[in-house]
């Protein structure tokens, strides 16, 4: 039986691109896919009313809780009212979405891109009956087709053309901003917190994360609170972890900046795109090429013009970031810090698909990158291996297959409470 799905977009260019790739994948499976843009609210709601009036929808797919509380009747979420599965894919740590998760539709199936995030939801949001791990997926740009500024053509079937290594403009590309500047808006008034010394907690937890980057932020916050005799209920502990989540962004930003700075100060030219790099004290270094903020489709094209795509995880300790997969699908050599998930999957492949480094030994990063650039054939082989690995395991088609088989085709989705 043909399945009919709804995708919700219109907030972020990245998510709109995800929707485009994911809808194309489900259409390849024979599904009927509709997309609404909630920036055009009246048009989107009229379309939604039309799609739901005769129980046409077998599921709605959204990223980061978009549209979770849409309603035709005050106090009634449409997904609950019509018993429509709400497949919610979290692309970031759940502590960024506390309010939405507390009030999630009862028909929610929540997917996390890190296994630790699944554990976090099981512990702190036990009312969410269906939580699952689904790693990030990547997208492949077709650079042979002309696209308007800020857009690109996705290759959703077959294999796209990718420039040869010697034709690529950038030695190293880092696509992503410095999250510490975004995190400035997340910092609460630490002086108003009277239950403990929030300034000392911030210093101690951040220092511990930087010294032991295998730890999660929630783990380290809890350890600190226990060490000063504070043993909270899970509800109270979740409140403080959420309130202090800016620390996670500062730890992420510390290693992201370290990685790029080490390369440029060791004579390696790095192109960076994203916010905040121009605010670094070393931003004028001649080896740093700052391209400013660009839209998600442009990042895919830029990766096709890069020999090496550099990645540092957004404090993912048991997952994979889409920067890794997108870099592979651009046939660039990916250099990234590790995670438990990467150790269990990518690094166990027979052929080398990427090059990894450990954050405690980040000083070795320039040596690793220099060695790759000095051996272009080896670098090209790693890129080729990575491309076929990503095509086989980490596209939106594989993610569509998983949801279709697990939650749609076999009708395993249950909302009994």
């Amino acid at each position: 039986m043909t399945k009919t799905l709804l995708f919700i977009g219109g907030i972020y260019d990245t998510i709109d691109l995800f929707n485009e790739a994911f809808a194309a994948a489900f259409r390849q499976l024979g599904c009927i896919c509709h997309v609404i843009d909630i920036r055009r609210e009246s048009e989107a709601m009229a379309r939604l009313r039309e799609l739901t009036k005769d129980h046409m929808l077998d599921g709605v797919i959204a990223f980061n809780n978009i549209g979770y509380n849409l309603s035709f009747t005050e106090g009634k979420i449409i997904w609950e009212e019509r018993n429509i599965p709400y497949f919610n894919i979290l692309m970031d740590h759940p502590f960024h979405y506390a309010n939405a998760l507390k009030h999630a539709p009862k028909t929610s199936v929540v997917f996390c891109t890190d296994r630790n995030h699944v554990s976090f939801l099981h512990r702190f949001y036990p009312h969410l009956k269906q939580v699952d791990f689904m790693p990030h997926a990547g997208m492949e740009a077709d650079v042979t087709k002309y696209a308007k500024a800020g857009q690109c053509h996705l290759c959703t079937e077959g294999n796209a053309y990718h420039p040869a290594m010697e034709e690529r403009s950038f030695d190293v590309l880092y696509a992503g901003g410095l999250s510490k500047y975004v995190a400035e808006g997340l910092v609460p008034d630490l002086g108003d917190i009277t239950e403990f010394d929030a300034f000392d907690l911030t210093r101690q937890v951040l220092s511990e994360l930087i010294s032991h980057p295998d730890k999660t932020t929630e783990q380290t916050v809890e350890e600190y609170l226990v060490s000063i005799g504070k043993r909270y209920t899970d509800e109270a502990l979740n409140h403080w972890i959420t309130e202090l989540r800016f620390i996670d962004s500062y730890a992420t930003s510390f290693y992201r900046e370290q990685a790029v700075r080490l390369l440029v100060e060791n004579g390696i030219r790095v192109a960076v795109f994203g916010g905040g790099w121009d605010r670094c004290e070393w931003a004028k270094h001649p080896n740093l090429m700052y391209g400013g903020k660009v839209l998600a489709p442009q990042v895919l094209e830029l990766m096709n013009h890069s020999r090496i795509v550099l990645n540092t995880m957004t404090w993912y300790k048991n997952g994979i970031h889409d920067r890794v997969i997108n870099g592979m699908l651009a046939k660039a050599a990916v250099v990234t810090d590790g995670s438990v998930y990467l150790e269990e999957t990518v690094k166990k492949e027979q052929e080398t698909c990427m090059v990894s480094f450990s954050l405690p030994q980040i000083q070795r990063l320039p040596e690793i990158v220099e060695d790759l650039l000095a051996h272009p054939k080896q670098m090209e082989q790693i890129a080729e291996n990575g491309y076929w690995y990503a095509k086989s395991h980490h596209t939106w088609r594989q993610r569509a297959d998983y949801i279709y088989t697990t939650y749609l085709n076999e009708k395993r989705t249950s909302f009994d409470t």
Side-chain angles (χ1 to χ4, degrees):
M1 183 177 176
T2 301
K3 303 296 181 180
T4 301
L5 301 173
L6 173 67
F7 292 79
I8 304 177
I11 300 293
Y12 306 106
D13 64 291
T14 305
I15 289 175
D16 289 343
L17 195 61
F18 292 160
N19 278 335
E20 182 184 346
F22 215 11
F26 274 105
R27 289 185 183 112
Q28 290 168 14
L29 293 173
C31 297
I32 298 170
C33 298
H34 303 276
V35 181
I36 60 171
D37 183 336
I38 60 173
R39 285 173 298 191
R40 299 191 286 270
E41 185 177 353
S42 59
E43 179 184 321
M45 293 305 290
R47 183 67 177 134
L48 181 58
R49 189 179 293 275
E50 178 185 344
L51 290 169
T52 56
K53 66 181 179 181
D54 295 320
H55 304 284
M56 293 171 57
L57 293 178
D58 295 291
V60 56
I61 293 180
F63 293 87
N64 295 349
N65 311 283
I66 294 177
Y68 78 96
N69 59 354
L70 290 179
S71 172
F72 295 136
T73 307
E74 187 174 351
K76 293 185 178 180
I77 298 173
I78 185 63
W79 320 122
E80 294 179 353
E81 192 176 14
R82 306 294 169 86
N83 199 38
I84 299 169
Y86 178 80
F87 298 110
N88 184 17
I89 304 168
L90 301 183
M91 307 307 284
D92 307 293
H93 197 294
F95 55 40
H96 291 297
Y97 307 110
N99 187 63
L101 291 169
K102 285 177 185 175
H103 301 97
K106 292 182 176 62
T107 59
S108 293
V109 181
V110 183
F111 296 97
C112 298
T113 49
D114 185 296
R115 289 168 177 158
N116 291 333
H117 299 172
V118 174
S119 300
F120 185 90
L121 288 184
H122 282 317
R123 178 179 179 185
F124 295 111
Y125 296 88
H127 67 284
L128 296 173
K129 300 302 180 185
Q130 298 199 72
V131 178
D132 201 354
F133 170 65
M134 190 170 71
H136 268 289
M139 293 166 286
E140 183 175 6
D142 186 348
V143 297
T144 61
K145 295 182 179 179
Y146 171 78
K148 295 179 181 178
Q151 299 180 11
C152 74
H153 287 278
L154 291 180
C155 174
T156 56
E157 292 187 81
N159 307 315
Y161 162 82
H162 300 280
M165 281 291 182
E166 61 270 16
E167 297 172 0
R168 300 186 176 214
S169 307
F170 305 124
D171 282 341
V172 181
L173 171 76
Y174 196 104
L178 289 175
S179 51
K180 67 181 179 182
Y181 298 114
V182 177
E184 290 173 352
L186 301 176
V187 182
D189 190 334
L190 299 179
D192 283 349
I193 298 174
T194 57
E195 292 202 29
F196 49 81
D197 186 338
F199 292 101
D200 185 64
L201 181 150
T202 299
R203 286 191 296 268
Q204 297 288 351
V205 169
L206 185 56
S207 175
E208 182 70 8
L209 289 175
I210 290 171
S211 301
H212 300 93
D214 57 312
K215 288 187 173 184
T216 66
T217 302
E218 57 267 27
Q219 170 192 358
T220 311
V221 169
E222 183 175 12
E223 287 175 353
Y224 173 88
L225 292 172
V226 169
S227 75
I228 62 169
K230 298 288 185 179
R231 295 183 179 275
Y232 290 105
T233 64
D234 280 352
E235 183 179 3
L237 178 60
N238 184 35
H239 166 77
W240 290 119
I241 290 170
T242 300
E243 192 77 359
L244 301 166
R245 68 191 186 279
F246 71 91
I247 299 172
D248 190 269
S249 297
Y250 276 91
T252 297
S253 195
F254 172 83
Y255 276 110
R256 185 172 294 186
E257 183 177 348
Q258 282 284 101
V260 173
R261 185 173 186 172
L262 277 169
L263 294 184
V264 300
E265 291 184 348
N266 280 274
I268 299 167
R269 290 176 62 78
V270 183
V272 294
F273 294 86
W277 294 102
D278 55 329
R279 297 171 65 177
C280 296
E281 62 182 25
W282 48 278
K284 300 298 183 183
H285 197 287
N287 288 328
L288 183 72
M289 297 174 285
Y290 178 54
K293 291 184 179 181
V294 297
L295 298 175
Q298 292 172 277
V299 171
L300 298 182
E301 293 208 342
L302 288 164
M303 287 180 172
N304 275 274
H305 300 290
S306 308
R307 295 180 177 87
I308 293 172
V309 167
L310 176 64
N311 174 65
T312 51
M313 298 290 186
T314 50
W315 226 249
Y316 276 35
K317 302 306 166 187
N318 202 344
I320 188 172
H321 197 278
D322 63 333
R323 235 184 330 261
V324 173
I325 312 159
N326 289 337
M328 288 177 172
L329 291 173
K331 283 198 177 180
V334 172
V335 177
T336 180
D337 63 318
S339 76
V340 174
Y341 178 79
L342 289 176
E343 289 288 337
E344 292 178 356
T345 55
V346 186
K347 290 193 74 175
K348 287 189 176 179
E349 291 290 304
Q350 289 186 342
E351 304 293 338
T352 302
C353 300
M354 65 177 196
V355 178
S356 61
F357 63 94
S358 70
L359 294 181
Q361 297 180 338
I362 196 171
Q363 297 295 330
R364 290 196 58 241
L365 182 59
E367 176 189 339
I368 291 169
V369 172
E370 285 172 350
D371 185 66
L372 280 173
L373 293 172
H375 298 90
K377 291 298 182 184
Q378 177 189 0
M379 182 169 56
E380 194 167 0
Q381 188 60 58
I382 292 170
E384 187 74 15
N385 296 340
Y387 176 77
W388 290 110
Y389 169 78
K391 289 283 278 191
S392 302
H393 297 89
H394 292 295
T395 68
W396 285 109
R397 174 57 191 269
Q398 274 94 42
R399 304 299 173 259
D401 284 336
Y402 180 74
I403 290 180
Y404 187 88
T405 301
T406 308
Y407 294 98
L408 291 171
N409 197 38
E410 295 184 3
K411 298 183 178 179
R412 287 172 55 186
T413 306
S414 173
F415 306 116
D416 296 334
T417 58

